[in-house]
Amino acid sequence: MDDKQFEKRMVLLKKSYDRMDTQLDPNKVLQQIDEEKATHNTQVIQKNPVKRQKASVWLVSIASVLLLGILGTSYMIQQPEELSNSEQQIMQEKQEEQQKTYRDWANELTEKYEHQKEEIRKELMVSLDELNAFSYIQNIENEFNNYTNNRSAERITAEMAENLQRMEDSLLEKLTTPRRVFEAIDGKKPLTFEESYKIYDLYEQPAIQLESFYSGLLEPYEHLLKKKVPSSQYPLELQTIIETASEQGMELSINDNGSYAFKANPINGAFAFEEAKYLHPDSLGYFEYSQKGYLVMDKDDVRYSLEETLEILTSFERALLADKNPGSRYYYMLRDRFEYTWTALLKGTPKHPALLADGTINKDYITFLQQLADGKHSKVVKQIAATILQELAQQQTSTTRDGLAAYDIWQALLQAKGEKAGFRNYDTFHFSYMDEAEAVRIDKLYQQYREGGKETLLNQLSPIDMVALYLYAIMVGDHALQQALVIPNTVIDTSRFNHLDNLTAISQLGESNVPHKYPLVSVRMKEDSNDKAVIIKLMKNNNGHNRIIGIAD
Amino acid sequence: MIKAELILKAQQGEKEAYIELIQIHQRTVEKFAFQCGVHSNDLADVSQEVFVKLYRFLHQFKQDRFTTWLYKITLNATRDYYRKEQRQQAKEQKLHAQPQRTSSSSAEEFMLLFEEDRLLHHAIQALDEKYRYPLILYYFHELKYEEIAEVLNISLSTVKVRLLRAKEKLKVALMQEGSVENG
């Protein structure tokens, strides 16, 4: 039999099959469905609670392991518990298909991810090791590994096509650079506050870490930069560094220590991004926060001129009043700086004192208060300024001023926002749970340090990662690293960390008000079944990089 | 009403939509079940089982994959049917020493009018299921290789290889049968 004959016979048979009469009565199908529903309802009422509990525990454990709550588990819950062979087979096949879909997706994601990462590496002019040392890249890498490891595929259970796309988009949008974040703004219409906030959220960490990295690269050229020779005469390497940093919106400037450093200024700087004009004006306070850094420096004095400080605070206030999400990390950071700076200004600073050396009230301070009471510069502190002014006029002294604390500014802010109660729990953001993945990440950080990352790597660490690495150094007994992570001549009572094997979480608490320039990191450990926290303080070393200064009691 | 709308409405619990959906697909289901080996007398029951199961899982179906799922469910229903049949035959063998399937050929005659078709149908039934299913889906349901791979949960290359071998085996079977008949 040749192919042609074979095909012809198959066609004829197909025609015979197609002529078959149907036998099924659709109404009988519905009748059976109704009968089964009635039976199922009765069974559900009589179900064994133990089975249900087991299913719930299983679902919870899967969800917690995968951290993929969005994938949902309603499918399992809705199914009858007693399944026929065919149903089991269907479910098994469905699971297998879901796993296959997931693996295909993970493979495609891997390709896209690696490609995008390589593009970023080239754009930033860094080696792969240098790129991997950035903590924002490590966080993304962790997320990526969670998605692409085999365990994730095996545990995937529910309808997920839409969620996979969402997970992919969310992951890849974070694998970015400051320039890319802005270039992603399409410019068809001005962004809303929320959209602008999202831009800041994506921008902040890459910008801060790259700033620090490129600034570190300037070190060998410090003497050359100080000579102020024309930039065209700089060595090619230096020119490349400056050009690469400028492409990320960074300007070369002199920091508080008198050293050359890069400062990102994506909105108003010489290398500002064109797309910045689409940002919502109320959101600019966040970018200002990132660009200006601390507003109050040593000895409680303002870092910038009073006028400039007030302008910055105005932009902060606009952001704080516009932001409808006061539980967010950035809101807290901005609010913290706003509160602290206003507290310092209203109490009087060394450059702008409330009282003169002879104890009399400074006239400039009164003028300043009057401007505030008139509503100039701030809606939030207007009433506080008016009260202090009134008290000073009546009694030559002000209990409001004397007792003023960040808490009062916060209350005034709540009032200005029309809110009666707010959220002031420092521990609710920027957590780093010490699970297996986190431990692996810190171990990797340590290996990078050992392999030669040394000082540069430490300088790039976020306060949380710095503390995590410090704790790691205690655990492995690496005294050299412990010393490298603390401010010279600082003694830290490491016995406070005797329960490190029961470490549960590390969280950044923002920056301490007193003294104001210390980032604070809380280390939570289980001790005798109680959760205890040790607060670690950090401060800038002589080179402007965070290092541990002690434990806050 | 287009199929997508029907599925959506059926998903939302509209019985009329589900009946219409059954009417559109029942011929495919019955045909596929018969081709997979379900006895013609049992086709209504197996198809009914398919649509009852389909209803249970309806809320999960993506519209673009509906047909694929329908084939999968039918395939599973026919496998269940086979298992029951085998159990039944085993019981009957114990009771009567011979299986009681006397109505088989007459029923098939009713379904397939031509002897040539019945021979080919039998030859296909005699193939191992790993060759039988791709062949049926390819020739009688005109599914693409990719769709067959999805229904049977095998790779594209496996589909191609199995189809090729199915054809070879079927040709050999038909030639042998022809030679027996002729001889």
Side-chain angles (χ1 to χ4, degrees), chain B residues 149-161:
Chain B
E150 203 177 340
V151 171
L152 301 177
N153 210 19
I154 53 178
S155 71
L156 203 58
S157 55
T158 308
V159 171
K160 289 176 186 172
V161 170

Side-chain angles (χ1 to χ4, degrees), chain A residues 38-49 52:
Chain A
T39 316
H40 176 66
N41 287 342
T42 316
Q43 283 173 348
V44 167
I45 295 166
Q46 296 168 347
K47 277 207 191 302
N48 182 352
R52 189 166 289 276

Side-chain angles (χ1 to χ4, degrees), chain A residues 247-480:
Chain A
E247 281 170 5
Q248 300 301 327
M250 296 175 192
E251 299 169 324
L252 193 59
S253 61
I254 297 174
N255 65 17
D256 295 326
N257 297 321
S259 301
Y260 275 87
F262 285 107
K263 196 71 210 164
N265 189 352
I267 313 293
N268 306 310
F271 307 106
F273 300 110
E274 175 70 13
E275 296 85 355
K277 66 186 176 198
Y278 298 111
L279 292 171
H280 194 282
D282 289 344
S283 73
L284 299 182
Y286 281 111
F287 292 92
E288 195 86 331
Y289 164 87
S290 175
Q291 198 244 322
K292 297 293 183 187
Y294 300 101
L295 303 185
V296 181
M297 298 296 285
D298 288 334
K299 296 171 188 167
D300 285 348
D301 217 340
V302 284
R303 183 179 188 182
Y304 305 101
S305 70
L306 184 61
E307 290 69 27
E308 203 177 346
T309 306
L310 290 169
E311 272 179 32
I312 297 166
L313 286 171
T314 305
S315 74
F316 283 12
E317 186 170 304
R318 280 187 72 168
L320 291 168
L321 292 176
D323 198 334
K324 300 285 185 289
N325 183 18
S328 76
R329 174 188 171 213
Y330 296 123
Y331 182 91
Y332 166 72
M333 302 291 269
L334 184 66
R335 193 196 70 191
D336 186 48
R337 192 160 294 170
F338 178 80
E339 289 170 359
Y340 182 76
T341 310
W342 268 123
T343 309
L345 288 178
L346 286 166
K347 278 174 152 320
T349 68
K351 278 187 198 164
H352 307 283
L355 303 174
L356 296 174
D358 59 3
T360 57
I361 300 168
N362 182 0
K363 282 182 185 170
D364 289 345
Y365 177 67
I366 296 294
T367 309
F368 170 61
L369 285 180
Q370 190 61 60
Q371 285 177 350
L372 293 177
D374 291 344
K376 199 176 174 186
H377 306 303
S378 171
K379 181 182 166 190
V380 172
V381 302
K382 180 182 171 184
Q383 188 53 49
I384 297 174
T387 306
I388 297 174
L389 200 59
Q390 195 181 7
E391 287 171 355
L392 287 175
Q394 288 171 355
Q395 305 152 24
Q396 297 297 301
T397 180
S398 167
T399 50
T400 301
R401 173 188 166 273
D402 296 343
L404 193 69
Y407 182 86
D408 301 308
I409 308 295
W410 176 57
Q411 286 292 315
L413 177 64
L414 283 183
Q415 209 170 2
K417 281 173 82 88
E419 293 168 6
K420 286 181 181 168
F423 190 60
R424 207 176 168 77
N425 183 357
Y426 293 171
D427 272 2
T428 52
F429 72 94
H430 209 164
F431 265 100
S432 179
Y433 287 101
M434 294 313 290
D435 55 12
E436 193 186 340
E438 186 64 7
V440 168
R441 193 176 70 79
I442 301 301
D443 179 63
K444 206 169 154 191
L445 259 183
Y446 180 68
Q447 296 309 327
Q448 283 170 3
Y449 169 79
R450 297 268 301 188
E451 285 161 13
K454 303 286 177 187
E455 198 75 5
T456 313
L457 184 136
L458 302 186
N459 292 343
Q460 290 176 40
L461 296 177
S462 66
I464 279 193
D465 283 351
M466 180 155 291
V467 170
L469 193 60
Y470 177 71
L471 299 177
Y472 191 97
I474 293 175
M475 280 197 283
V476 298
D478 187 335
H479 298 289

Side-chain angles (χ1 to χ4, degrees), chain A residues 93-188:
Chain A
E93 284 187 7
K94 183 172 172 60
Q95 266 185 335
E96 282 168 8
E97 187 189 283
Q98 282 175 342
Q99 287 178 8
K100 184 178 176 297
T101 306
Y102 190 90
R103 287 196 181 96
D104 290 346
W105 170 77
N107 288 339
E108 277 180 34
L109 177 67
T110 304
E111 268 183 42
K112 288 180 194 171
Y113 181 87
E114 297 299 348
H115 176 71
Q116 193 164 319
K117 193 174 167 187
E118 178 59 13
E119 279 189 338
I120 283 170
R121 190 192 67 74
K122 287 179 189 164
E123 179 184 320
L124 297 177
M125 303 281 275
V126 294
S127 68
L128 190 58
D129 284 346
E130 284 168 331
L131 185 68
N132 287 335
F134 293 116
S135 61
Y136 87 94
I137 294 289
Q138 285 166 11
N139 289 336
I140 301 164
E141 194 90 355
N142 263 349
E143 196 178 330
F144 169 70
N145 289 335
N146 274 339
Y147 289 159
T148 52
N149 70 29
N150 286 332
R151 277 164 52 195
S152 298
E154 283 163 15
R155 286 168 175 164
I156 227 73
T157 55
E159 282 186 32
M160 56 196 179
E162 288 169 26
N163 289 327
L164 289 181
Q165 191 57 51
R166 216 161 54 195
M167 282 152 59
E168 178 178 317
D169 293 345
S170 164
L171 180 82
L172 294 178
E173 81 174 353
K174 285 181 280 192
L175 185 62
T176 190
T177 64
R179 185 169 70 83
R180 282 168 183 251
V181 171
F182 277 88
E183 281 179 354
I185 299 173
D186 66 12
K188 286 180 186 158

